[in-house]
Amino acid sequence: MMRKQHSGNWFNEGFVGRAAQPGKIVTNIRSGGTALSIDDLIRPYVNERSKRKIIASLNQLGQSVSDKLERLYPGIFLFGIDIGLDQNMKPWIIEVNTTSARQRLSKLLGC
C-alpha cells in the first residue's frame, strides 16, 4: 500500500502477502487464502539477502507505479498495488486499487 507523504514522496505503508490453500491458486481471503507478512510469504523460497533485495525491488516498483499513476489521476494519495511473484521471484502487477485495504493491513501488522 503506497501513500503520498506531505513531502511529495510515496511511502510503502506495508505489505500484505496472501497465499492460496495447498493445491489451489486463488489467494483471495474470502476464497480460503491466508494473509501473511512478506517475510513469512517468501522466506521458504529465498535466503535472507535475496529477501531484502526482493523487498527493495517491490518498494521501488510501488514508488514507480504510484508516480506514473499520480500523473494520470492527480489528487489520489493512496494506491493498493497487487503484485504476484512467479517461481523466479519476478514481480507481476495484477491490479492497482485506489480504495484502501488499510484495515487488513493494520490487522496483519498489528497496528
Side-chain angles (χ1 to χ4, degrees):
M1 183 174 309
M2 302 298 294
R3 179 177 294 279
K4 182 79 170 206
Q5 302 298 296
H6 293 293
S7 65
N9 296 321
W10 288 94
F11 176 74
N12 179 358
E13 290 196 330
F15 295 100
V16 176
R18 294 190 313 236
Q21 290 181 351
K24 305 284 184 176
I25 61 169
V26 177
T27 62
N28 184 293
I29 304 300
R30 291 183 194 151
S31 298
T34 304
L36 299 168
S37 71
I38 190 70
D39 288 340
D40 290 341
L41 186 66
I42 63 176
R43 181 180 297 123
Y45 307 102
V46 297
N47 61 34
E48 187 65 28
R49 181 173 180 232
S50 294
K51 183 181 77 172
R52 286 192 305 269
K53 288 173 81 173
I54 291 166
I55 290 172
S57 173
L58 291 172
N59 279 318
Q60 183 178 19
L61 178 60
Q63 289 171 358
S64 177
V65 166
S66 298
D67 282 338
K68 287 177 175 55
L69 287 175
E70 181 186 26
R71 287 184 219 130
L72 296 171
Y73 304 99
I76 292 182
F77 61 92
L78 182 70
F79 291 113
I81 305 171
D82 292 354
I83 299 171
L85 296 172
D86 67 16
Q87 65 272 18
N88 297 315
M89 295 292 130
K90 178 180 177 180
W92 294 86
I93 297 172
I94 298 167
E95 68 179 350
V96 179
N97 300 294
T98 58
T99 57
S100 174
R102 190 175 186 84
Q103 289 177 329
R104 282 178 280 165
L105 179 64
S106 296
K107 185 176 181 180
L108 180 65
L109 298 177
C111 302

